Amino acid sequence: MSQPKIPLTADTIDAAWLNQAFDGSVATITNVKAERLGEGVGLLGEVTRLHLNYAANSSGPQPASMIAKCQAAAPGNVFMSQAMGFYERESAFYKQFSQSINLRVPFCYYTDVDPAGAPYIVLLEEITNPRMVDQVAGANFDDSAAILDQAVKLHSHFWDNELLWSLSWLPPMNNPLYRAAREMAEPKLESFIAKWSPHVAADTMQWMRELTPKYPDMVDWWVEQGNATFSHTDFRADNFLFGGSAGEGVVTVLDFQLSARHVGMWDVANFLGQSVTIENRREWEKTLVRRYYDGLITAGVSNYSWDRCWRDYRYCLLHQAWSQVAVSDIDPGNDRGRALLHAMITRVFAAAHDLQSGDLLSEF
C-alpha cells in the first residue's frame, strides 16, 4: 500500500489516513480525536495526542492513544527545521532505533518525512501517567542524576565506534549547515546583545562578539578533538518522562530532532546549563559531571581523562550560549515558551560565566 500524504497538522489526521499508514500493523481504526498538548511543548514541532477507537473484532494492537509529532506551526520554525534537517533526523532515528537502542524511548508506530525536509510525521507510543520535570522550575538533584545516567547509556553505546560512523543521517557538528550558523547569527547578534545584556554577565556578551566570526573554526576544532558519540543535543528536562506506563523507575527519553555526532559532554552541559536553577547547578555540577564520567568508564569508555571531561563541559557551555544567538528568532509561541527561553538563556550564560568558558576562544 502506498504511503499517505504527510499531514501539515495532526488535527487533519482521520481514521482512513491512519489505516492507510499502518497497513494492518494496528487494528482497524474507526474514529480519531486530536488533542493538542500543553503550552510551550514542541518549539520545533506540534505535539498532539490522538485518541483512537477500533472496529469490533478487529485484530492487531489497539493502543487507546498515540502521540503525533508534526511540523511546527510557526513558518520560521519550520524553515529552520527544514534547513537543518531536524525532521529527517528524528524520523531516521525512530525508524532505526525505536526498538533496538539501550534507552527507553517510545515505540514508533509510523514515521515519514518529505524529501524536502518538511512536512513530517511521527506516531509514537504514549507513555501514560508519567511524572515530568518542569524545566522552568528546574530539576532536583535525584532527577538530574537519573537523567545524566541516560546520557551514559546513550553515549557509551555509540562512543566513537562503527555503529556511530554507520549513521549517514547523523551529521557531525561541523556539517555545512551548522558551519553556516555564523551567517544566521551575524544579523541577530547586536539585537540579541541589546535584549539580553541586562540579564547576563557583560563578559559573556563580549565572548559572543568574539566567537561569531570564528564559529566555523570552532566546530572544526570540536571535530578534531575526537571522542565523538551520538549526542542527543536537546537534553533538556522537558524531554524526559519518569515512570508511568513505561514502568516504575524507568526514564523515557524523547525528541531526537537535533541529534548529531558530537562530544557527549554537550548533552551533560545542555542539561545542567539549562534545566537546573543557577544556584543548584553551582552546588551540584561537579558531583554530577563526575557521576557521568565515572559511568562512562564503568561502561567501558577508555582514553578519556577526567581533565578532558571537565574541559569539554566548560567549553560546551560557551558553545551552547552562542547557539542561543543563532536561533534567537525562534517563535516561543506562548507565555510558557517565553518563560522557558528566558530560563534557558539566563542559566546557560550564567554557567559559562561561572566557569570562565571564554577560555575556549584561545583554542583555535
Side-chain angles (χ1 to χ4, degrees):
M1 183 180 293
S2 62
Q3 291 181 302
K5 183 178 179 180
I6 301 170
L8 299 180
T9 60
D11 57 10
T12 65
I13 296 174
D14 58 17
W17 190 96
L18 289 171
N19 289 324
Q20 182 181 355
F22 295 143
D23 193 20
S25 63
V26 170
T28 301
I29 296 167
T30 58
N31 185 60
V32 56
K33 178 183 177 181
E35 175 193 358
R36 281 292 309 278
L37 295 183
E39 283 194 302
V41 174
L43 293 177
L44 298 177
E46 290 193 338
V47 182
T48 304
R49 176 182 291 116
L50 303 180
H51 299 272
L52 307 172
N53 296 111
Y54 297 89
N57 302 317
S58 177
S59 62
Q62 298 187 18
S65 62
M66 294 181 187
I67 298 298
K69 298 188 69 175
C70 296
Q71 70 177 32
N77 296 10
V78 174
F79 174 79
M80 175 175 294
S81 299
Q82 192 172 13
M84 294 294 188
F86 293 156
Y87 300 148
E88 293 171 297
R89 259 176 266 176
E90 182 157 61
S91 182
F93 173 84
Y94 279 114
K95 278 183 179 179
Q96 187 165 352
F97 292 114
S98 175
Q99 292 181 282
S100 63
I101 199 168
N102 62 338
L103 291 179
R104 180 59 166 94
V105 300
F107 175 76
C108 181
Y109 291 97
Y110 180 82
T111 183
D112 193 18
V113 60
D114 189 90
Y120 95 126
I121 177 75
V122 182
L123 296 175
L124 299 170
E125 166 196 13
E126 179 177 16
I127 307 299
T128 56
N129 301 313
R131 180 176 62 83
M132 298 186 68
V133 174
D134 182 350
Q135 184 175 343
V136 176
N140 65 32
F141 181 89
D142 289 342
D143 287 346
S144 298
I147 286 170
L148 293 185
D149 288 347
Q150 309 316 304
V152 171
K153 294 179 185 178
L154 176 64
H155 299 160
S156 62
H157 186 73
F158 291 96
W159 196 273
D160 205 9
N161 59 23
E162 291 183 6
L163 178 58
L164 174 72
W165 294 95
S166 73
L167 304 180
S168 59
W169 49 266
L170 188 70
M173 186 52 66
N174 67 339
N175 71 83
L177 289 173
Y178 280 12
R179 286 174 57 85
R182 177 182 63 186
E183 284 70 38
M184 294 175 58
E186 283 173 338
K188 309 169 191 175
L189 177 61
E190 293 307 320
S191 61
F192 180 91
I193 290 173
K195 179 176 181 178
W196 291 101
S197 285
H199 307 285
V200 303
D203 57 355
T204 60
M205 287 305 186
Q206 180 56 34
W207 295 340
M208 297 304 101
R209 287 194 173 100
E210 294 177 30
L211 179 53
T212 296
K214 301 172 68 176
Y215 183 79
D217 297 328
M218 181 185 69
V219 292
D220 286 342
W221 177 85
W222 269 123
V223 171
E224 291 167 0
Q225 301 309 295
N227 291 306
T229 188
F230 189 115
S231 172
H232 180 281
T233 318
D234 196 19
F235 222 65
R236 301 179 296 108
D238 281 1
N239 287 329
F240 299 90
L241 305 176
F242 287 78
S245 58
E248 185 177 355
V250 175
V251 180
T252 301
V253 185
L254 309 176
D255 199 350
F256 289 83
Q257 292 174 346
L258 275 60
S259 52
R261 190 170 72 238
H262 191 28
V263 294
M265 187 50 68
W266 175 278
D267 289 339
V268 179
N270 190 206
F271 179 79
L272 293 177
Q274 298 185 19
S275 295
V276 177
T277 65
I278 294 171
E279 294 76 14
N280 286 340
R281 188 261 311 155
R282 287 169 176 161
E283 181 179 354
W284 303 337
E285 64 189 340
K286 201 88 173 193
T287 299
L288 288 170
V289 174
R290 186 74 204 201
R291 178 190 180 103
Y292 166 80
Y293 175 77
D294 289 345
L296 289 180
I297 301 306
T298 300
V301 170
S302 59
N303 298 320
Y304 191 59
S305 69
W306 166 248
D307 288 345
R308 165 70 192 273
C309 177
W310 186 251
R311 184 206 69 169
D312 287 352
Y313 174 65
R314 294 177 56 234
Y315 288 179
C316 280
L317 289 169
L318 181 66
H319 189 172
Q320 289 177 26
W322 184 91
S323 296
Q324 299 298 327
V325 179
V327 299
S328 58
D329 56 350
I330 283 183
D331 182 358
N334 50 49
D335 288 344
R336 203 272 175 174
R338 282 184 282 276
L340 177 59
L341 284 177
H342 186 274
M344 290 164 60
I345 290 172
T346 54
R347 288 172 184 171
V348 75
F349 272 80
H353 170 72
D354 288 346
L355 276 76
Q356 285 298 291
S357 300
D359 290 351
L360 169 64
L361 294 165
S362 65
E363 296 284 352
F364 48 87

